[in-house]
Amino acid sequence: MRRILQAGGCLLGGILLVFVVAGFKKASPLKAFHINGFAQGTTYHITYYAPDSSLTREQTDSIFTAIDSSLSVYKPYSLITRFNKEKRGLVPDKHLKKVVTKAHEVSRASKGIFDITVMPLVKLWGFGPDGRSKTVPTPQQVKAVLSYVGYQKLYFKGDSLLKKDPRITIDVNGIAQGYTVDVIAGFLEDRGVQHYLVEVGGEIRIKGRKQPSGERMKIGVESPSDQEDGNQPVLIKTIFLDNGAVTTSGKYRNFYQNGNKKISHLIDPRTGYTLQNEMISVTILAKDGITADAYDNVFMGLHLNEAFAFLKEHPGMEGYFIYTKANGTVADTASAGFEALKNRN
């Protein structure tokens, strides 16, 4: 416009003046909108700031329904359930394709610690949608199931998602809620919303700040209330964020007792056995929910020194770790970038 004014003289200058005056028109004030509910077997909370309603409860329900119809192993009609019953495979929809593509990326980066083909092992250990009794399998059973577990046995060919073994089944619960918060965040951003907090089952995606105060969004990081026998989380740390995603994974979230031993739902796909390391809980900050949600599972499978080495090799993530020390006491530590999030400003 500046070049046009120089070339066109007073008339265009007058037009420009009209545009400039119009541009100074006071913007509509941002109002806070809240949507809370129950979906994907958990609660969700959405807060966004906009001049008017950009996301309704009905639209939110529609998003959850579409994702569940694709990714939920608990829905008998879902696309992932159909895939698990197929001997060869099928053509995925956009949700399943995006989640499997990301899962493959994380599987390669983690050398198989994260693996969505782990579902047969999860069921073998007494977890999963069928409600199997909580019993510890024999080494022979673990070895048999391991023969058809492995992300390399799952692949894309053209438009199809295929399996190399008809017994392969997949479970994307370790990544689906992170993906869900990204889908809702994308819906808001497509409608011009620049300040929001989306939380589904504790997985959080944030952009912008509270309005009109301009304060950074506050997040409480949870820890088990009793490391020995409790499974009710309590808040242990508060961080402040204005862009990114924060997710948490912990052994205390889903487990059963076998004598004096806790059997966690977190299974190592490489060995077929539940994770046996010092990690109790991992909270990861990343650019988006699907990344944070996938990698919090990876870090749960690492020793503490390996976790810090992995963070160094994969910039763009920060971590907070609660772990058991060699003497049996519980401690916590965090990356420098995560510690910086304690700053309110």
Side-chain angles (χ1 to χ4, degrees):
M1 290 297 295
R2 189 174 294 113
R3 290 196 300 270
I4 294 174
L5 176 60
Q6 291 170 349
C10 295
L11 179 59
L12 287 177
I15 295 173
L16 179 61
L17 180 60
V18 171
F19 290 158
V20 170
V21 171
F24 283 120
K25 183 179 178 180
K26 187 176 181 180
S28 300
L30 300 182
K31 296 178 287 186
F33 294 87
H34 306 279
I35 306 174
N36 305 312
F38 188 85
Q40 296 184 342
T42 187
T43 58
Y44 71 86
H45 306 273
I46 302 168
T47 296
Y48 67 92
Y49 302 90
D52 49 38
S53 176
S54 301
L55 174 68
T56 65
R57 171 65 66 89
E58 291 74 20
Q59 289 169 322
T60 305
D61 290 344
S62 179
I63 292 171
F64 281 118
T65 297
I67 293 174
D68 284 353
S69 296
S70 176
L71 304 179
S72 176
V73 295
Y74 295 91
K75 305 294 185 184
Y77 56 81
S78 70
L79 190 59
I80 197 170
T81 300
R82 283 176 46 205
F83 174 83
N84 287 339
K85 292 178 179 178
E86 291 285 341
K87 295 185 180 298
R88 179 69 171 151
L90 48 69
V91 177
D93 65 0
K94 65 178 182 179
H95 299 302
L96 186 58
K97 185 175 183 178
K98 287 179 180 178
V99 167
V100 172
T101 299
K102 184 67 174 185
H104 269 54
E105 172 195 313
V106 177
S107 294
R108 290 190 294 269
S110 66
K111 296 180 172 58
I113 297 177
F114 181 81
D115 190 334
I116 60 173
T117 70
V118 75
M119 186 177 184
L121 287 168
V122 172
K123 293 172 68 175
L124 180 67
W125 281 90
F127 302 97
D130 58 0
R132 181 181 177 276
S133 62
K134 303 293 193 289
T135 56
V136 176
T138 66
Q140 293 77 16
Q141 289 174 314
V142 172
K143 184 177 179 181
V145 173
L146 266 178
S147 67
Y148 52 92
V149 169
Y151 69 94
Q152 303 93 335
K153 299 178 175 69
L154 187 70
Y155 66 100
F156 288 101
K157 184 175 181 180
D159 293 331
S160 298
L161 176 63
L162 304 174
K163 40 179 124 172
K164 294 182 179 180
D165 189 311
R167 296 172 295 177
I168 289 174
T169 54
I170 61 175
D171 181 346
V172 298
N173 283 344
I175 194 172
Q177 286 183 344
Y179 173 71
T180 299
V181 299
D182 288 342
V183 173
I184 296 172
F187 186 96
L188 289 168
E189 291 190 22
D190 287 346
R191 283 149 184 79
V193 177
Q194 296 299 310
H195 305 274
Y196 60 76
L197 184 153
V198 179
E199 179 265 331
V200 179
E203 320 297 38
I204 297 171
R205 175 80 181 264
I206 282 174
K207 184 175 181 181
R209 298 194 174 203
K210 295 180 182 179
Q211 298 299 317
S213 68
E215 297 177 18
R216 299 177 84 185
M217 309 276 191
K218 181 169 69 174
I219 302 172
V221 181
E222 67 181 37
S223 170
S225 58
D226 186 329
Q227 307 297 348
E228 294 298 323
D229 56 18
N231 63 356
Q232 294 299 316
V234 296
L235 298 182
I236 193 173
K237 186 183 287 289
T238 299
I239 60 174
F240 298 88
L241 190 67
D242 52 23
N243 194 25
V246 177
T247 69
T248 297
S249 180
K251 290 177 181 175
Y252 61 91
R253 286 189 164 188
N254 189 4
F255 66 91
Y256 62 87
Q257 294 286 150
N258 179 45
N260 294 325
K261 190 175 183 181
K262 280 185 180 181
I263 304 299
S264 167
H265 72 293
L266 298 174
I267 311 296
D268 190 334
R270 303 165 300 175
T271 67
Y273 289 86
T274 58
L275 292 176
Q276 299 296 323
N277 61 6
E278 68 269 33
M279 292 296 190
I280 297 172
S281 174
V282 169
T283 299
I284 296 298
L285 166 69
K287 63 179 180 179
D288 52 37
I290 194 171
T291 300
D293 203 10
Y295 277 103
D296 64 24
N297 295 277
V298 173
F299 285 99
M300 281 299 300
L302 298 175
H303 293 288
L304 189 62
N305 61 330
E306 295 173 329
F308 278 101
F310 195 93
L311 282 175
K312 188 174 181 180
E313 295 166 2
H314 297 79
M317 290 188 289
E318 304 291 345
Y320 170 61
F321 311 106
I322 302 174
Y323 65 100
T324 304
K325 298 172 73 172
N327 63 5
T329 61
V330 174
D332 66 339
T333 187
S335 63
F338 198 95
E339 282 293 326
L341 298 176
K342 291 190 295 185
N343 180 12
R344 182 185 295 268
N345 298 316

